[in-house]
Amino acid sequence: MSIRFTAKARSGVIALTVVAGLALGVAGCGGGGGDDKKPEASAPVSKGDGSKPSTQEGQSDAPLAELKGPEGLDLKITSAARDSGGFVTVNAELKNDGSKVAILSSQLTGNETEIMKNGQSFGGATLVDSKGKKRYYVLRDTDGRPLTTAGVQSVKPGESIPIFMQFPAPPADTTEVSFQLPTFPSATIQISG
């Protein structure tokens, strides 16, 4: 009987050791440690299907500028960041504060044939460096598509749509530019980075 008792005790100790090991393993893999790193989203490139900007970490709640447009449209420019690649990305939020669906004007696309043939976009936006006396137009990819949110035809009442536009970067010492978008008033914004 003592042999049987010893075998049972030994298998109980082994089972207890396995359970304790699993519990420690699960605790070591669990969340909440703060060491998990999530991949950062990169800025999307327009493909003509309503591309949207990525969220910027550390972005302030106060907009750089707020522009009131037609049909209750409100454009809040949330950031204008200079990137090491030689361009400036302007992120904004377009909201319909009106009571009816706002149909976006084709004027927002601009009047350049190359951009117009790619459909509705914010390709008519420009940055004006009054100090350097230069105007910067929205960049285009190798197929002539504007590097901006595209494909947005309308905005429902109360709806907010994130948008982005990329421009060539003005000289490094230029930190203040005028943002212009057809059908909206112009506004002075600060470039960060």
Side-chain angles (χ1 to χ4, degrees):
M1 193 160 200
S2 67
I3 294 175
R4 185 182 274 177
F5 176 75
T6 307
K8 282 185 178 180
R10 198 175 292 150
S11 62
V13 169
I14 291 172
L16 182 61
T17 304
V18 169
V19 170
L22 288 173
L24 286 173
V26 169
C29 294
D35 292 337
D36 297 344
K37 291 192 178 184
K38 297 179 183 173
E40 293 181 20
S42 60
V45 175
S46 171
K47 295 188 191 247
D49 60 356
S51 301
K52 294 181 171 74
S54 63
T55 302
Q56 299 289 322
E57 284 189 29
Q59 186 170 296
S60 152
D61 288 341
L64 296 177
E66 188 169 352
L67 313 172
K68 300 288 184 186
E71 298 188 59
L73 290 173
D74 182 44
L75 182 71
K76 289 183 183 171
I77 300 173
T78 55
S79 68
R82 187 185 304 269
D83 289 321
S84 59
F87 55 89
V88 169
T89 301
V90 174
N91 286 302
E93 180 182 290
L94 182 64
K95 183 177 182 185
N96 181 353
D97 286 332
S99 59
K100 295 190 238 177
V101 173
I103 307 299
L104 298 186
S105 170
S106 61
Q107 293 179 35
L108 296 174
T109 302
N111 57 10
E112 292 182 42
T113 308
E114 187 73 20
I115 291 180
M116 290 172 60
K117 73 179 184 179
N118 288 293
Q120 184 76 20
S121 72
F122 295 88
T126 58
L127 295 180
V128 177
D129 172 10
S130 56
K131 179 179 152 188
K133 296 185 170 104
K134 287 191 177 180
R135 179 181 301 255
Y136 298 91
Y137 293 89
V138 168
L139 290 168
R140 294 151 188 80
D141 67 12
T142 55
D143 293 327
R145 292 181 299 228
L147 296 182
T148 177
T149 302
V152 179
Q153 303 285 327
S154 61
V155 185
K156 296 174 189 166
E159 182 180 25
S160 289
I161 298 173
I163 62 171
F164 79 99
M165 293 151 273
Q166 290 185 325
F167 302 90
D173 62 342
T174 299
T175 58
E176 190 174 273
V177 292
S178 176
F179 174 82
Q180 298 177 347
L181 182 65
T183 74
F184 286 85
S186 61
T188 300
I189 60 172
Q190 298 288 324
I191 298 174
S192 62

